[in-house]
Amino acid sequence: MASRFNALKADAAWQKVWDDRATFAADDTSTKPRSYVLEMFPYPSGKIHMGHVRNYTMGDVLARYRRMTGMEVLHPMGWDAFGMPAENAAMEKHVHPGGWTRDNIATMKAQLKRLGFALDWSRELATCEPEYYGHEQALFLDLFAAGLVYRKESSVNWDPVDMTVLANEQVIDGRGWRSGALVERRKLSQWFLKITDFADELLEGLDGLEHWPDKVKLMQENWIGRSQGLQFRFKLSDGGAVEVFTTRPDTIFGASFVAVAADHPIAQALAAENPAAAEFIALCKRGGTTAAELDTQEKLGFDTGITAAHPFDPAWQLPVYIANFVLMEYGTGAVFGVPAHDQRDLDFARKYDLPVRRVVSDGDVTDPVFEGNEAATGPGTLVNSHFLDGMDVEDAKRTVIARAEGEGWGTGSTVFRLRDWGVSRQRYWGTPIPIIHCDACGAVAVPKDQLPVVLPEDVSFDIPGNPLDRHPTWKHVACPSCGGQARRETDTLDTFVDSSWYFIRFASQPKDKPFDRAVAEQWLPVAQYIGGVEHAILHLLYARFWTRALKHIGLLDVAEPFAGLFTQGMVTHETYSRQITELGSDGVDSITKPLWLSLDDIVRNGDGWTEKATGEAVTVGRVEKMSKSKKNTVDPTGIVDQYGADATRWFMLSDSPSERDLPWSESGIEGSWRFIQRLWRLFDGERAGEGGSKNAALDRKLHQSIAGIALDIEALSFNKAVAKLYELTAAIERAEPSASRDAAIATLMRLVAPMAPHLAEEAWAAAGNQGLIADAPWPKVDAALLVEDEVTIAVQVNGKLRDTLTLPKGHPSDAVEAAALASDKIVRILEGKAPRKVIVVPDRLVNIVA
RNA sequence: GCGGACGUGGCGAAAUUGGUAGACGCACGGGACUUAAAAUCCCUCGCCCUCAGGGUGUGCGGGUUCGAGUCCCGCCGUCCGCACCA
C-alpha cells in the first residue's frame, strides 16, 4: 500500500550515505571522459538565498546527469570569502571579519548540504585562508617577475571621515555612503595588472567561445572596445605639436578645430600662465559624471589662441581649444573636430561659430556648406577633399593612413577602451600584496619561501582607517634585498583576483604550489560554468585574462578557462507596500513613498492583502528580484524544512526557462511537492510482476522521454525536461498493469534522479536495487522506438486547418492527397469544385488551394 | 544617444529547418470519494457567436509565401548593457 514520502527523513539519510561513501568525490586518476561542472562560488554573506538554490540546482542536475552517462565529473564548491561586507560587519557589530566570515561559511555550508547537492566537498576552499591566498601571492609574484604587474599613481574616492577608499557604488551624490562626508579625489600609488597587453587576444578569443551566450560576448567586446584609426601629429603655432587619434582619417579635409582635454599637458601648461584657462579647467572638472548630467551637459570650449597646421596644407590653421568633452584617459587626450560628420563636433562648432564643411556625401548633395544641426555620420562618397574625392569612406581611410605613414607624420593604430586592472585596495580583509617597500631598493618581492604573507588577526575596527596600516608591528620588516629597514605593502588585492583562478585550484590543490599543471590541465577548461549575468564583464574578463597570463608565463597550457557559460535568471517575487508620508530632507515638504512589507507583515483579505499591524490595505507591486530592501525575500531554509529538498529543487527547475527570471510562488512550490508525492505513489505502488503483457505505446513514450530529457538537460532546458517527466508520469499512471508499465516505473526513477535525488534513492532502495541510483547508468534509448509508426496529418484548405487524418508513417503522397480529398469535411467545403493546387508535406500535412 | 534582448491565455510557458498555436504547470470553475475536512481522482478552461457547427487569435501596421508565433520592412512597448570613446 502506497505511503507518503517522508522527505525530511529521506533527505538526511541519503545525504549521510553520499557523505560517508564520498560518492561525489572526483577522481584525478580516472580514465573516464571528464566533465568539469562549476557554479560561481558564493560570497559568504550570512545565509543562502533562493538565487543560490536555483544556481546550484541547475549545476547539480547537469553534474548528476553527466555522472550517470559515465563521465568523471568534477563539481566543487568553495567560498569567495574576502570582501567589504565582512569589514562593515566588523564595524557595526564589533566582531572580527574572519570570525564573522567563517561563521557564515559554516551556516551556508550546512544549508547547501541540506539541499543534497552532488558536490566534492573534499576540495572545498575559502579564499580568506592562507592555504589559498598564499598561493595567490605566489602567482602574483610570478606575474610581477614577468613584467605584468606595475605601479602607478591613480586617483581614488577618499572618504576623509572614515579615512578609507570607497568603491564608485559607495559614493552617493558625491558623499560617502556611511559617513555622509564629501568625497575627495586622492592620488595614490597603486598596483596594476597589464590586462591591456592581452586586449587583442581577449577580444579575438571570444570568437572561439561557441558555448557562451552572444549577449555576454558582445558585452565583453564593447568593454574591450577596440577602435582602429590613425594617430597623427599637428604642428602648433607655438612651436610644439599635439598628437590626436581618429577613427575617421577620411574626413581630414573637414576639420575645423583641434580640442584637448582639461588634463592635457597643453591645457595644463596654459593654465599655469593664464588664469582664465585655469578657471575653465576647474569648471570642466566640476561637472558630474552621471549619465543624466552628461546627457544634458553643454559642450564647452576655451580658445587657447594656439593654432594647428593642417597636415596636408600648412597654410590652413585650425584653432586649438580646451574642451570639456575630451577625455584624457582615452586615445591621446586630443581630437580634431569634423563638425559635418560628428554630432558632438557639430554641437561644438555651432556654439563657437566654426566652419562646418561637408566632405562625405550620401547622395547628390555635395555643397561644402553643411546646413542643419544633425551630423551626417553614415557611409558615402568623399567630396571637397582633393585627392580623396570620389572614394568611399573605407578607401579614403586607407589612403590617408598610407599617406601619413609615407610622409612620417602619423601611423595607423588601434586604441582600446579597456584599461589596465587596478588591483590595490586600501582595506584589511583581502589578500596582502606580497611586496616590501625599501627606500634603497624600491618595491621588492617577498621571497617565495616567506609566503604566505599572513593577515594579522589582532586588529581592531574601532577607529577609522586601514587596520593594517596602523598595526604596531606588521608592516615593519627588513628589506629582503639589502636587509635595511623597510615597510610591508599594506594594500590588499581586489577580490576579483581571488575569483580569477579558484577554478584552477579546485582542479588541483597541492600544498606546495598553486596547482599541479598536469592535473589541472586534465580537468580544464570548465565544461559548463553557471552564474548570474551580473558577472558578464568583470569576473569573466579577469578570469580569462588571468588564465591567459598564466599561459603566457608558462604555468598552464589553457587559453580559455570556461568552455561553456550559462547565465541564469533571477528568482523574483511580488512586492507588497503601503504608502506612507514623511517629512522630506528639506524638513519642510512632506513626501509620499512606499513602505515595503514582508509576507510576514501582511495577511490575506479576500482578493487583496492588509497589513497585520495596522489593518491598512496593502498594494501588490511589481514582481522583482528578491531583495532585503524590498522585503520580498523567501528564506530557503523554511521552504526546505517544510517541503523537503527535492520539491524545492524541482520548483527551481520547473516552469521558467533557466535563463529567464523565475517568479516564486507558494502555489508553485506546493505543486512541486504534490508531484514528488505523486511520483512516490507510483514508485511505492503495486507491480504487475514478471510475465505481464507488453504495452507498445507506453514503451514508445518511455524511450522518447529518455532521449528528449537527455537533450533538454544537456541544453539546460530544465523546464522542458520537467514537462516531459509530467507527461511520462501521466502516461504511466493511465496505463493498465503490464511488464511495460513496471519497466517504465523503474526507468522513471533514473530519469528523475538528477532532479529529485533523495526520492530516487529511496525508491531505488525500496525496489530492492543494489548500490546507489546516483551511480546507476542513465537509461539506454532503443532507437527503434523513437519513430512513430502512425502520424497525424493536418488537412488545410487555403492554409486553414479543416481536418486531420491518422495514417501510417511514410504513406505515399498521392494516397495521402486522395485520402484528404475524400474527407467528408473537405468534400463539403470544396462544394464539388476541383482544387487549384494541392501541396503535400510528407507525414505532416496536406494544403488544398481552392 | 549607442548597442542588445524580448513582447504568445488570468499567470509561468511550449511550438527541431516556415507546416495542426497554446504541450506541461499554476490559478479559477464543475464533479466523484467523505458525516465533514484534508488528501486523491475525473472534467472544463484563448476570445466571440446563432455552440454536434462556425468565426477569430501569438504587441500594432504592411509585405513575401500554398502556408508566418517563426522570414522581411515600418511603428509601439518593456527590460538589460555601455555612455561625451574621437
Side-chain angles (χ1 to χ4, degrees):
Chain A
M1 192 55 217
S3 60
R4 179 177 272 209
F5 176 60
N6 184 338
L8 255 38
K9 207 172 132 204
D11 289 356
W14 293 108
Q15 283 159 18
K16 182 165 189 312
V17 170
W18 296 329
D19 256 356
D20 290 349
R21 299 195 192 179
T23 301
F24 304 112
D27 179 2
D28 284 339
T29 66
S30 174
T31 53
K32 295 179 192 171
R34 291 163 188 249
S35 185
Y36 186 172
V37 177
L38 182 68
E39 300 95 54
M40 292 179 185
F41 67 162
Y43 177 78
S45 57
K47 292 194 280 187
I48 62 166
H49 52 70
M50 277 299 171
H52 291 127
V53 178
R54 191 177 189 206
N55 191 174
Y56 302 140
T57 301
M58 289 179 188
D60 199 60
V61 171
L62 186 66
R64 285 176 177 271
Y65 164 77
R66 287 195 173 163
R67 280 189 88 250
M68 291 179 82
T69 63
M71 300 184 97
E72 188 66 32
V73 171
L74 172 57
H75 186 220
M77 181 54 72
W79 310 95
D80 188 13
F82 274 137
M84 273 187 335
E87 289 189 37
N88 295 338
M91 286 183 264
E92 281 165 16
K93 299 173 189 162
H94 305 286
V95 292
H96 191 276
W100 181 83
T101 302
R102 291 177 189 113
D103 285 351
N104 289 347
I105 288 175
T107 304
M108 292 170 72
K109 182 176 179 179
Q111 289 183 296
L112 292 183
K113 288 212 156 198
R114 179 70 189 82
L115 282 150
F117 294 132
L119 293 163
D120 181 355
W121 284 105
S122 72
R123 295 174 191 245
E124 179 185 6
L125 59 82
T127 58
C128 67
E129 304 301 344
E131 294 76 34
Y132 182 82
Y133 68 69
H135 296 302
E136 182 168 308
Q137 290 167 338
L139 291 174
F140 179 85
L141 292 177
D142 289 339
L143 298 183
F144 183 59
L148 291 171
V149 180
Y150 68 99
R151 198 161 162 76
K152 78 167 180 196
E153 286 269 309
S154 173
S155 61
V156 294
N157 302 309
W158 179 258
D159 185 320
V161 171
D162 280 354
M163 299 208 328
T164 186
V165 169
L166 300 177
N168 283 331
E169 48 273 23
Q170 295 173 323
V171 181
I172 297 153
D173 295 331
R175 292 173 181 275
W177 66 327
R178 191 179 292 279
S179 68
L182 274 175
V183 170
E184 301 166 6
R185 302 292 295 172
R186 193 180 260 211
K187 289 258 185 190
L188 291 179
S189 189
Q190 308 203 62
W191 293 100
F192 284 81
L193 297 186
K194 279 192 180 170
I195 190 171
T196 54
D197 277 12
F198 295 81
D200 265 312
E201 277 189 51
L202 290 170
L203 187 64
E204 275 149 24
L206 292 171
D207 287 340
L209 296 174
E210 288 167 46
H211 303 291
W212 276 44
D214 289 340
K215 175 195 169 84
V216 173
K217 287 193 277 189
L218 188 71
M219 282 163 73
Q220 293 216 350
E221 196 180 312
N222 291 338
W223 189 262
I224 295 168
R226 178 162 68 186
S227 299
Q228 277 168 316
L230 172 68
Q231 187 168 326
F232 70 99
R233 253 181 339 276
F234 280 104
K235 283 188 181 158
L236 298 178
S237 56
D238 66 358
V242 61
E243 284 282 331
V244 300
F245 174 75
T246 180
T247 55
R248 294 294 303 274
D250 55 305
T251 62
I252 194 158
F253 290 103
S256 54
F257 63 93
V258 171
V260 302
D263 297 332
H264 196 277
I266 289 174
Q268 294 293 325
L270 187 69
E273 57 195 45
N274 182 336
E279 197 178 311
F280 179 77
I281 289 168
L283 177 75
C284 289
K285 289 188 172 175
R286 251 203 313 277
T289 51
T290 66
E293 281 171 299
L294 287 176
D295 255 0
T296 53
Q297 202 165 59
E298 200 175 0
K299 307 279 176 278
L300 296 176
F302 179 88
D303 191 344
T304 60
I306 304 168
T307 58
H310 194 280
F312 287 116
D313 179 4
W316 181 0
Q317 294 286 319
L318 304 167
V320 177
Y321 284 82
I322 303 167
N324 65 345
F325 64 86
V326 181
L327 304 175
M328 195 59 218
E329 307 85 64
Y330 187 76
T332 61
V335 297
F336 74 93
V338 183
H341 307 292
D342 181 282
Q343 190 58 47
R344 229 179 16 200
D345 295 347
L346 184 60
D347 294 344
F348 190 79
R350 293 292 187 225
K351 181 169 170 70
Y352 294 101
D353 205 20
L354 297 164
V356 181
R357 182 181 161 91
R358 182 192 317 273
V359 288
V360 178
S361 166
D362 60 350
D364 309 329
V365 189
T366 57
D367 188 343
V369 179
F370 189 94
E371 305 283 353
N373 287 314
E374 224 165 282
T377 55
T381 305
L382 272 287
V383 293
N384 310 312
S385 295
H386 305 268
F387 58 92
L388 299 174
D389 285 352
M391 292 185 190
D392 67 32
V393 165
E394 293 308 314
D395 275 346
K397 282 180 183 173
R398 278 190 289 275
T399 306
V400 173
I401 291 171
R403 284 279 293 255
E405 288 179 342
E407 294 168 10
W409 49 268
T411 50
S413 74
T414 304
V415 162
F416 294 92
R417 206 194 81 106
L418 183 70
R419 316 276 164 71
D420 275 335
W421 176 15
V423 293
S424 294
R425 296 291 181 272
Q426 293 70 35
R427 306 219 162 260
Y428 165 73
W429 193 233
T431 299
I433 296 176
I435 296 283
I436 290 167
H437 298 283
C438 169
D439 289 335
C441 311
V444 182
V446 173
K448 281 206 177 170
D449 59 13
Q450 291 174 24
L451 296 182
V453 175
V454 178
L455 270 182
E457 294 273 325
D458 54 334
V459 292
S460 80
F461 290 85
D462 301 339
I463 51 172
N466 183 351
L468 287 182
D469 209 29
R470 59 164 190 269
H471 190 278
T473 56
W474 188 75
K475 72 174 176 181
H476 303 295
V477 286
C479 170
S481 179
C482 70
Q485 273 208 352
R487 301 172 317 281
R488 239 183 234 299
E489 170 72 63
T490 57
D491 284 356
T492 52
L493 288 171
D494 180 4
T495 57
F496 277 120
V497 176
D498 307 337
S499 54
S500 287
W501 73 286
Y502 78 105
F503 47 90
I504 307 173
R505 182 75 187 166
F506 273 145
S508 163
Q509 34 190 264
K511 275 205 157 54
D512 59 336
K513 54 184 174 181
F515 51 86
D516 180 278
R517 178 175 170 165
V519 176
E521 284 174 2
Q522 281 188 307
W523 289 112
L524 291 166
V526 173
Q528 185 65 63
Y529 196 33
I530 308 176
V533 73
E534 67 274 18
H535 292 113
I537 298 173
L538 296 183
H539 162 56
L540 290 167
L541 190 63
Y542 292 149
R544 292 182 62 221
F545 157 67
W546 195 272
T547 307
R548 276 173 191 273
L550 294 181
K551 185 180 163 80
H552 179 77
I553 62 176
L555 287 186
L556 184 70
D557 190 22
V558 174
E560 289 290 342
F562 313 116
L565 174 70
F566 188 85
T567 55
Q568 102 272 5
M570 297 178 300
V571 183
T572 58
H573 193 255
E574 279 180 337
T575 49
Y576 309 97
S577 65
R578 70 180 166 83
Q579 294 293 313
I580 54 164
T581 304
E582 64 177 38
L583 220 49
S585 50
D586 59 1
V588 181
D589 297 322
S590 55
I591 53 168
T592 305
K593 63 175 193 181
L595 174 73
W596 300 104
L597 299 168
S598 80
L599 264 180
D600 294 333
D601 299 331
I602 60 177
V603 65
R604 234 190 211 298
N605 178 16
D607 283 347
W609 298 86
T610 51
E611 187 182 10
K612 279 182 192 166
T614 61
E616 289 198 48
V618 169
T619 310
V620 177
R622 284 169 29 123
V623 174
E624 291 190 63
K625 178 185 181 175
M626 287 188 179
S627 72
K628 282 179 191 156
S629 60
K630 295 280 170 69
K631 290 196 177 177
N632 64 338
T633 57
V634 174
D635 181 7
T637 306
I639 299 299
V640 177
D641 286 345
Q642 192 177 350
Y643 299 100
D646 289 342
T648 308
R649 296 164 56 109
W650 193 267
F651 181 59
M652 292 292 110
L653 302 166
S654 317
D655 293 351
S656 285
S658 308
E659 68 278 9
R660 260 188 252 177
D661 290 350
L662 172 70
W664 174 269
S665 74
E666 195 73 12
S667 51
I669 179 74
E670 276 168 11
S672 296
W673 185 83
R674 278 200 300 271
F675 184 69
I676 295 295
Q677 294 299 337
R678 199 172 139 198
L679 281 174
W680 179 249
R681 284 193 295 277
L682 205 52
F683 294 152
D684 198 34
E686 299 291 324
R687 300 291 151 80
E690 292 299 314
S693 55
K694 294 281 282 178
N695 177 336
L698 187 62
D699 288 348
R700 182 169 283 119
K701 180 79 189 170
L702 177 68
H703 283 267
Q704 286 174 344
S705 301
I706 297 169
I709 290 164
L711 286 175
D712 289 338
I713 291 176
E714 280 290 355
L716 302 166
S717 299
F718 303 113
N719 57 322
K720 292 192 233 167
V722 163
K724 289 187 176 76
L725 286 166
Y726 281 127
E727 283 189 68
L728 177 61
T729 302
I732 296 173
E733 285 168 339
R734 275 195 303 271
E736 295 294 323
S738 68
S740 291
R741 188 175 187 274
D742 289 355
I745 291 172
T747 303
L748 181 62
M749 279 176 206
R750 286 187 283 162
L751 297 179
V752 299
M755 299 166 180
H758 308 88
L759 170 81
E761 292 288 6
E762 191 78 12
W764 183 256
N769 292 292
Q770 296 300 304
L772 297 177
I773 200 168
D775 294 323
W778 185 255
K780 288 239 175 339
V781 176
D782 182 347
L785 292 175
L786 294 183
V787 252
E788 296 281 357
D789 50 4
E790 275 190 341
V791 288
T792 306
I793 292 176
V795 182
Q796 301 177 331
V797 176
N798 296 333
K800 279 193 177 121
L801 182 70
R802 296 297 174 181
D803 199 6
T804 57
L805 301 171
T806 303
L807 292 169
K809 194 178 167 69
H811 205 55
S813 290
D814 48 358
V816 173
E817 181 177 335
L821 289 169
S823 141
D824 289 348
K825 289 180 186 168
I826 300 305
V827 167
R828 193 172 350 119
I829 289 164
L830 291 179
E831 295 173 327
K833 287 177 226 152
R836 282 197 286 158
K837 192 174 173 187
V838 179
I839 287 141
V840 180
V841 181
D843 294 333
R844 279 217 110 117
L845 61 66
V846 180
N847 190 14
I848 298 158
V849 186

